[in-house]
Amino acid sequence: MVDHDTLPQLPPYTLIPLPMLIPPIPDKLLTVLLPIAAYWALSMFFHWIDTMDYFPQYRLHTPAEVAKRNRVSRWEVVRDVVIQQVVQTAVGWILGMTEPDDYYGKEEYDVAVWARRVRIAERAIPGLLSLVGVNASQLGKGLSAGHPLLAGALLGGHYPMLYNTSTFPGGITRISPTFAAWEVMLAKLIYWVLVPALQFGTAILVVDTWQYFLHRAMHMNKWLYTTVHSRHHRLYVPYAYGALYNHPFEGFLLDTLGAGIAYKIAGMNTRQGMCFFTGSTFKTVDDHCGYALPWDPLQHMTSNNAGYHDVHHQSWGIKTNFSQPFFTFWDRVLGTGWTGGDVSARYERSRSAAQKTLDMDMAKSMTGSDVSMTAQQQSQPYQHEMQNAKELSSIPLESRQPQPPSGKAELQAAESRQQILDDELTGGAGVLADESREEKEAQSFIRRTPRKRATSSLSTRDSFKGLSQRMTGSTCMGGMGG
């Protein structure tokens, strides 16, 4: 039992209501508004550099791929994002109403509480030293002349030179111990740095865990995927403002509720929650931005970045890379990360196929002729691929088109294609048949002519600068890997 009379006294304090961070908006309202503002601000930045074609060498996909491969219009994306944000705002406001009002003025008292805890912990030092055969009493006496504070710590927090004298009415004098300077410094470090870091770390762990297992469940359960989660995967080529394009139920369960639970478990105050929710929003948008930017700090803080998550949006990787939004821990531990190695060639084939399809459509619209009726564009030569899509589970792996990589990645790619096939409402067999046809067309086209460049007219080397390392190389897959 701790004798508090032998400990330094705690200072008095007066609580004062915390002023608004941005008057006249209450902090609780600002907490739900800032993530929305952050979402659209960062999304519009990426949309701007996308439309202006400022950093084409760092694109994960070309504009042609966005136009030809996605199964949803931009209007539908914006509509569903706004719906989710309305729900998010309502839930956030209700959550804020359950929180007490914020005050300041108690900080010095709280630091002193931690300093007391440090002093109490010092009492264990003599006993710990005795376990290794060191006499703390003799050692402390030997150091007391030259290093009195070190001696006091070794003696179990005994600092006879540190005291405070108080005089009370009636001439009563009271002598009470005070804190050593190092105790106060350590207490401030704990209070201002370590405790908030632990709170944010806890919130991140909770969100990553919550989203990983629910996200994975939505891919493993056919009903959940086809009914709920498949909506998000209509974006085979993600872009920034499509980050929260979800079924409303998924948006509430996966994002809004998960973040709220993390906030509560971590014991954050309103302004900490403001930072956490806004930071999570920035990370989510950045993960769907469609760029592997070398100077984007969010893409280097963890291995869970735009390149890593983009693999999950591809038809061959949809049942891998479930971790989001911060770290890849759960993918590494449970072995669900993409294992197919460098994906640059796959991305280049998709680029070439999408660009050729777009060129064909443009030629058709300009000439009025149906180029799809030429011998090389007829659907008849691709009936075999369609059959593979329809009977995927019964056809040997080596017969499937396009051929997946070997080993575990082969199974990952096959399961991913089967999931695409299950989603009959938004493409299903048609998506796989299109990819098989386009890939064969691209290979034939590349053999016949110099490779047609994408919008930005970049070489393969430039257009995939750092891509393999971002997605499956040293950055993302070196440890598997938010």
Side-chain angles (χ1 to χ4, degrees):
M1 187 174 180
V2 178
D3 181 8
H4 290 282
D5 289 337
T6 63
L7 296 171
Q9 297 298 305
L10 298 175
Y13 64 88
T14 301
L15 291 177
I16 304 171
L18 191 67
M20 299 174 189
L21 185 64
I22 304 179
I25 306 173
D27 280 4
K28 291 179 181 179
L29 179 58
L30 191 62
T31 299
V32 299
L33 295 181
L34 268 184
I36 298 175
Y39 185 92
W40 291 108
L42 187 58
S43 292
M44 290 303 100
F45 167 75
F46 280 115
H47 183 65
W48 175 63
I49 66 173
D50 198 24
T51 55
M52 301 300 292
D53 203 24
Y54 280 139
F55 303 104
Q57 68 271 34
Y58 300 120
R59 286 182 186 274
L60 300 180
H61 300 280
T62 63
E65 288 181 276
V66 177
K68 302 307 297 180
R69 294 184 59 210
N70 284 336
R71 277 355 194 221
V72 61
S73 70
R74 290 182 181 266
W75 156 245
E76 291 174 295
V77 169
V78 171
R79 179 200 64 196
D80 283 10
V81 169
V82 170
I83 290 173
Q84 176 165 336
Q85 289 180 333
V86 169
V87 174
Q88 174 183 302
T89 300
V91 174
W93 181 252
I94 294 171
L95 184 66
M97 297 300 291
T98 68
E99 291 293 304
D101 292 333
D102 291 321
Y103 294 86
Y104 74 99
K106 195 184 175 186
E107 293 78 12
E108 186 179 350
Y109 175 90
D110 290 333
V111 168
V113 169
W114 278 107
R116 268 194 169 191
R117 291 168 179 166
V118 171
R119 176 68 63 87
I120 293 170
E122 292 175 60
R123 295 181 180 181
I125 293 177
L128 294 175
L129 290 177
S130 68
L131 294 176
V132 294
V134 176
N135 189 318
S137 179
Q138 291 182 357
L139 182 61
K141 289 178 181 178
L143 293 172
S144 60
H147 305 279
L149 294 181
L150 178 58
L154 293 173
L155 292 171
H158 181 62
Y159 304 94
M161 78 296 293
L162 299 178
Y163 61 87
N164 184 41
T165 303
S166 303
T167 302
F168 297 92
I172 300 175
T173 301
R174 181 177 179 179
I175 298 176
S176 59
T178 59
F179 295 112
W182 75 269
E183 292 174 320
V184 176
M185 289 180 61
L186 179 57
K188 288 181 178 179
L189 177 66
I190 294 172
Y191 180 75
W192 292 109
V193 179
L194 297 184
V195 170
L198 181 61
Q199 288 175 301
F200 278 93
T202 299
I204 287 171
L205 177 62
V206 171
V207 164
D208 271 7
T209 302
W210 178 271
Q211 292 209 7
Y212 174 85
F213 286 100
L214 281 178
H215 185 198
R216 184 177 178 181
M218 288 184 178
H219 279 277
M220 296 304 169
N221 184 282
K222 181 177 179 179
W223 182 86
L224 280 176
Y225 180 79
T226 56
T227 307
V228 179
H229 190 55
S230 63
R231 181 178 299 196
H232 182 68
H233 281 281
R234 294 174 190 173
L235 287 175
Y236 288 91
V237 182
Y239 44 80
Y241 63 85
L244 292 183
Y245 170 64
N246 297 308
H247 188 285
F249 175 71
E250 178 186 350
F252 167 74
L253 182 65
L254 203 66
D255 298 314
T256 305
L257 186 59
I261 290 174
Y263 167 77
K264 283 291 191 179
I265 290 177
M268 292 179 167
N269 60 37
T270 301
R271 289 191 178 174
Q272 286 177 319
M274 192 185 300
C275 294
F276 176 66
F277 297 142
T278 304
S280 298
T281 300
F282 275 131
K283 185 68 171 64
T284 299
V285 172
D286 195 82
D287 287 348
H288 292 81
C289 70
Y291 285 84
L293 299 173
W295 39 262
D296 182 349
L298 291 175
Q299 299 202 18
H300 296 281
M301 290 171 62
T302 76
S303 55
N304 198 341
N305 50 34
Y308 183 88
H309 188 66
D310 194 84
V311 169
H312 175 71
H313 275 262
Q314 306 313 304
S315 64
W316 40 266
I318 200 170
K319 295 196 81 168
T320 67
N321 291 14
F322 298 122
S323 289
Q324 59 182 47
F326 294 104
F327 295 95
T328 61
F329 171 79
W330 287 114
D331 273 331
R332 296 199 308 269
V333 170
L334 298 179
T336 52
W338 169 251
T339 59
D342 189 355
V343 296
S344 298
R346 287 173 170 269
Y347 275 72
E348 179 62 9
R349 286 197 300 271
S350 294
R351 283 184 169 211
S352 300
Q355 187 63 43
K356 186 171 187 297
T357 304
L358 187 64
D359 290 345
M360 289 164 47
D361 289 348
M362 291 178 63
K364 179 180 177 180
S365 64
M366 292 175 64
T367 64
S369 61
D370 189 353
V371 294
S372 65
M373 294 307 294
T374 64
Q376 296 199 346
Q377 310 307 327
Q378 290 175 3
S379 60
Q380 188 62 32
Y382 309 106
Q383 291 303 309
H384 178 62
E385 281 77 8
M386 179 65 80
Q387 183 71 12
N388 278 356
K390 290 180 178 178
E391 300 178 2
L392 187 63
S393 59
S394 63
I395 292 178
L397 290 175
E398 62 271 14
S399 301
R400 297 175 184 165
Q401 296 288 341
Q403 198 72 23
S406 60
K408 182 178 178 180
E410 181 177 285
L411 180 61
Q412 289 178 330
E415 289 179 342
S416 295
R417 284 183 165 83
Q418 180 61 56
Q419 182 137 85
I420 299 298
L421 185 62
D422 290 339
D423 185 22
E424 298 175 0
L425 214 66
T426 58
V431 173
L432 300 185
D434 285 347
E435 287 192 2
S436 295
R437 174 179 56 77
E438 289 172 0
E439 181 161 330
K440 184 172 288 187
E441 282 296 320
Q443 291 170 351
S444 174
F445 183 70
I446 290 171
R447 285 195 298 269
R448 296 195 313 271
T449 64
R451 180 173 65 83
K452 185 172 284 295
R453 295 175 179 177
T455 301
S456 306
S457 301
L458 296 168
S459 68
T460 304
R461 183 189 186 96
D462 288 338
S463 62
F464 285 95
K465 188 179 296 182
L467 182 59
S468 61
Q469 289 78 16
R470 283 307 167 81
M471 294 184 178
T472 56
S474 59
T475 301
C476 284
M477 295 297 291
M480 192 309 304

